[in-house]
Amino acid sequence: MLGSLLMLNLACVLPAAANAQDTFTSRPVRFVVPYPAGGAADQITRLVAHETSTALGAPIVIENKAGAAGMIAAESVLRAEPDGATFFVGANAPIVINQAIYQKMPYDPVRDFVPVAGMGKAPLLLVTRKDLGAPDLKTLIAKAEKMPAGFTMGSASSGNITHLAGEYAARKMGFKVTHVPFTGSAPAITSMMGGNVDIMFDALPSCMQQARGARIVPLTILDSQRFPQLPDVPTAAELGYPGLEAAAWFGLMARTGTPTAAIERMNRAVNDALKKPELVEKLRNIGAQPMPGTQQQFAAFIDGERKLWMPLAKSLGVRAD
């Protein structure tokens, strides 16, 4: 009799658990991108999300919420239920740099977010508008010597890596810049092509096609090696600036309190996607590199970024408010 009751109870519990799991795996998942469509964050996220959706067995919806250096998007994720259905596409600014340049933030990146999985990163490329008359870095620096006010420098937003690394690189190279922030890399590059700003240190996916199409002029890449799709563009080290490297990076973050099972499952799905040769090739074709790894490895990477860029932002005196 007792055995029959146990079997009956088990029969009732198992379908319920299975249904819960089916709902969890099949419902749509949101990836909230803190920048407009067309930029590096958007391109990398969409490529990774497409393959991750297959590995996850669930549809993934991309939402672009630009503004306030990624903080609008971050806040929207923190207002969502921590149930594993909403993830924030974390990046240099909203997860690391903002803490150093804003006096007040509507969230604490360390307290309020949990690293889930890296997706991709892209080195920065120094580019200029065509009519600036600087076909190479040497000419740009020589031109700067005759311009006490320096160049106007576009960026994806205040505090973005394209802003902070640009300020740092310009100082190392010996010229001044006047920062002009935009709401993303795509509008910044468009404005530069229209002659509204002089230069930009932009992530490769946002500017590589324009550079290859000779619509803007690429001068140097801030990476340890040349990028295969731009083989004629030298590294900063080759031009006499060793160690001058910077990259935009993007990875999934979850609101604190999100179930561990959901975080682990998403990490597995992203890593399964990043193992696919076709995705790796697509990322490289737009100027990005995959960032596979465990949740702990991604967390350690972010910690390293904080130790590097936060003191640098303060030493440069970069403020956004």
Side-chain angles (χ1 to χ4, degrees):
M1 181 66 177
L2 180 59
S4 298
L5 287 173
L6 287 173
M7 290 297 292
L8 180 61
N9 288 339
L10 187 60
C12 292
V13 170
L14 286 177
N19 288 336
Q21 180 64 17
D22 289 344
T23 301
F24 183 66
T25 57
S26 61
R27 63 180 174 169
V29 174
R30 289 193 303 150
F31 284 4
V32 182
V33 182
Y35 301 107
D42 181 71
Q43 291 185 58
I44 290 172
T45 299
R46 290 180 186 276
L47 286 176
V48 174
H50 178 76
E51 298 294 345
T52 299
S53 177
T54 301
L56 198 64
I60 295 176
V61 178
I62 308 298
E63 292 187 9
N64 297 85
K65 292 182 180 290
M71 292 188 284
I72 290 175
E75 280 190 280
S76 75
V77 172
L78 293 179
R79 288 193 296 268
E81 288 295 321
D83 56 5
T86 303
F87 293 85
F88 177 53
V89 177
N92 312 65
I95 297 300
V96 175
I97 300 171
N98 285 355
Q99 281 186 299
I101 67 173
Y102 284 89
Q103 289 186 343
K104 293 183 179 180
M105 289 178 60
Y107 62 91
D108 183 321
V110 179
R111 180 194 65 212
D112 297 332
F113 284 102
V114 178
V116 177
M119 293 192 300
K121 60 182 178 179
L124 301 192
L125 182 71
L126 170 57
V127 294
T128 74
R129 55 185 172 86
K130 286 182 65 176
D131 59 355
L132 186 62
D136 52 51
L137 184 59
K138 183 178 179 180
T139 304
L140 182 75
I141 294 172
K143 184 179 286 288
E145 293 175 355
K146 302 175 183 178
M147 299 173 61
F151 302 109
T152 52
M153 181 188 76
S155 82
S157 69
S158 292
N160 188 277
I161 191 65
T162 60
H163 171 204
L164 183 57
E167 295 271 6
Y168 177 63
R171 184 171 297 188
K172 294 286 284 186
M173 292 173 178
F175 58 85
K176 295 181 180 179
V177 293
T178 299
H179 178 227
V180 182
F182 290 81
T183 56
S185 283
I189 285 292
T190 299
S191 183
M192 188 178 72
M193 288 191 295
N196 297 313
V197 292
D198 297 324
I199 69 170
M200 187 172 177
F201 290 83
D202 197 21
L204 274 179
S206 307
C207 64
M208 188 169 70
Q209 292 308 315
Q210 291 89 336
R212 295 179 71 181
R215 294 188 291 276
I216 57 178
V217 183
L219 301 185
T220 184
I221 189 167
L222 305 189
D223 200 20
S224 60
Q225 57 188 1
R226 296 191 182 198
F227 201 77
Q229 277 75 9
L230 292 171
D232 296 329
V233 178
T235 66
E238 290 178 84
L239 298 177
Y241 303 97
L244 187 51
E245 300 175 16
W249 55 264
F250 309 98
L252 297 181
M253 311 289 292
R255 176 182 165 182
T256 298
T258 299
T260 301
I263 291 172
E264 292 176 345
R265 179 168 159 269
M266 182 59 73
N267 179 276
R268 289 195 300 272
V270 171
N271 276 283
D272 286 345
L274 293 176
K275 291 176 184 176
K276 297 182 178 181
E278 57 269 31
L279 175 57
V280 174
E281 184 65 20
K282 287 177 181 177
L283 288 171
R284 288 176 178 163
N285 284 339
I286 66 166
Q289 303 160 341
M291 284 183 66
T294 65
Q295 181 193 356
Q296 292 73 25
Q297 287 172 325
F298 185 41
F301 169 81
I302 293 174
D303 185 58
E305 288 287 283
R306 287 195 176 103
K307 291 176 180 176
L308 172 64
W309 291 107
M310 288 181 67
L312 186 57
K314 293 176 181 178
S315 70
L316 289 171
V318 175
R319 300 299 306 172
D321 54 4

